[in-house]
């Protein structure tokens, strides 16, 4: 897999003193024979062998974004079973991914705010 993004994290199962480092990876988008695109996501965990199917989309960027969202579900699996932190800072991983998911939803316009139409300036 040609990796375009990798993040290392430390997982500590609930009620355990033992922790382990895992790697979360997103591969480079590859074109499929049916004109779609796919991205391989991967979790390298020494104690849990994951077999993840590729995520596909209509273009390379779409496949990569869907791969990141799919990976977030696996991160949720870890956070429901223990503590997942970044090794360099000890910060919990889930808020970082939660912000990514929130960023995918455009903010609602402020109440009473008027927007400029076709490039016209307000005022």
């Amino acid at each position: 897999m040609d990796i375009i993004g990798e993040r290392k994290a430390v997982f500590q199962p609930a009620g355990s003193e033992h922790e382990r480092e895992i790697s979360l990876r997103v591969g480079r988008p590859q074109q499929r024979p049916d004109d779609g695109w796919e991205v391989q996501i991967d979790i390298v965990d020494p104690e849990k062998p994951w077999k993840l199917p590729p995520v596909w989309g209509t273009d390379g960027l779409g496949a990569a974004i869907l791969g990141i969202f799919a990976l977030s579900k696996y991160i949720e699996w870890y956070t429901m079973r223990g503590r997942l932190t970044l090794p360099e800072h000890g910060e919990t991983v889930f808020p970082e991914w939660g912000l990514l998911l929130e960023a995918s939803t455009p903010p609602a316009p402020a109440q009473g705010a008027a927007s400029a139409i076709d490039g016209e300036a307000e005022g």
Side-chain angles (χ1 to χ4, degrees), residues 1 3-9 22-27 39-45 50-56 62-80 84 93-94 96-98 100-101:
M1 171 171 55
I3 299 169
I4 61 170
E6 180 175 16
R7 185 62 147 154
K8 294 193 183 296
I22 62 173
S23 292
L24 311 161
R25 298 176 179 163
V26 177
V39 166
Q40 182 65 46
I41 56 174
D42 205 7
I43 299 174
V44 179
D45 182 339
W50 292 98
K51 299 284 185 199
L52 308 178
V55 178
W56 64 273
I65 291 170
L66 291 173
I68 291 168
F69 285 127
L71 197 54
S72 72
K73 286 302 191 186
Y74 291 97
I75 290 171
E76 185 178 347
W77 183 92
Y78 279 100
T79 59
M80 290 175 62
L84 198 58
V93 171
F94 191 73
E96 178 181 280
W97 284 86
L100 174 66
L101 294 174

Side-chain angles (χ1 to χ4, degrees), residues 7 83 85-92 96:
R7 185 62 147 154
R83 186 168 170 241
T85 58
L86 301 175
E88 60 271 11
H89 304 299
E91 297 169 358
T92 187
E96 178 181 280

